[in-house]
Amino acid sequence: LEFRRVLFRSQSKFSLLVHCWKAMFTKKPLKPPGWSGLTADVLMGRSFAPHFLSTMKNIFFWPYQLYAWLILMPLVLILTLLFSALTMIASVLVSPRFASRVVASGWGRLLARLTPLGVTVKGQEHAQRERSYIVVCNHQSAVDILVVYGWLKLDLKWVIKQELRQVPGLGIACEKVGHIFIDRNNPDLARQTIREALDRLGEGVGI
């Protein structure tokens, strides 16, 4: 994308951002009525893009922190406890697969929307549900849990550190749907646990 010629007054960062944002979507030089002052050729490239994105981040950082801690985090806690209870009930009354693919999937999608998080999935048509897959995430944050649960339409059992078994509600729900708890301090036992789980799961269920 290219920022066309923009006329602006150096009154505030916000004014500059508004007009630069508009300039991204116009094919003509942007000349706001009654404006005069500096003229700049600004390209959406190495020089301006990092500054633009950094300024946007600075503007929305603190409002988002207020939203995250005062609204989002309490909702995450409440919804996780609620969906954990629903998952346990669905596992017993229907099946672990239904609890994982319907209830837990809904939990992942709902929390992702509240974050808010936009997700685009490519190549999902190549995944065959009757086959078993190993899905590996870098797990640099909790986002991959929401995305894989919410958008990857496969029956997967998560390999989880055993400490999460002690989390109220969540630990028992994970156990009921068949997720695999491992001891990260004992690699040999962890490998044995995964092998036994794979033999037990059968075809069409991945990890």
Side-chain angles (χ1 to χ4, degrees), residues 63-148:
Y64 183 78
Q65 295 305 308
L66 292 174
Y67 167 75
W69 290 104
L70 298 180
I71 299 175
L72 179 60
M73 294 307 295
L75 280 176
V76 168
L77 178 61
I78 294 169
L79 290 172
T80 298
L81 290 174
L82 174 62
F83 275 84
S84 294
L86 293 175
T87 298
M88 287 185 280
I89 295 171
S91 297
V92 175
L93 297 182
V94 186
S95 71
R97 179 184 176 88
F98 176 84
S100 180
R101 291 310 316 140
V102 177
V103 182
S105 178
W107 168 82
R109 282 179 173 267
L110 180 57
L111 293 192
R113 298 305 187 195
L114 290 172
T115 299
L117 178 68
V119 179
T120 301
V121 181
K122 296 181 179 179
Q124 186 156 254
E125 65 276 8
H126 301 299
Q128 302 173 25
R129 295 192 180 186
E130 65 277 6
R131 297 186 61 184
S132 298
Y133 293 91
I134 297 177
V135 178
V136 181
C137 306
N138 59 22
H139 202 43
Q140 294 184 2
S141 73
V143 167
D144 54 0
I145 299 174
L146 305 181
V147 171
V148 171

Side-chain angles (χ1 to χ4, degrees), residues 174-192:
C174 289
E175 182 179 298
K176 290 296 183 183
V177 298
H179 294 326
I180 307 162
F181 293 93
I182 63 168
D183 183 358
R184 296 183 299 173
N185 296 320
N186 190 333
D188 292 333
L189 180 59
R191 283 192 291 269
Q192 180 183 344

Side-chain angles (χ1 to χ4, degrees), residues 149-165:
Y149 241 146
W151 279 267
L152 195 57
K153 300 183 184 302
L154 295 172
D155 188 11
L156 299 171
K157 305 304 179 187
W158 292 74
V159 177
I160 308 173
K161 58 183 180 182
Q162 66 177 5
E163 290 83 357
L164 290 180
R165 178 63 183 81

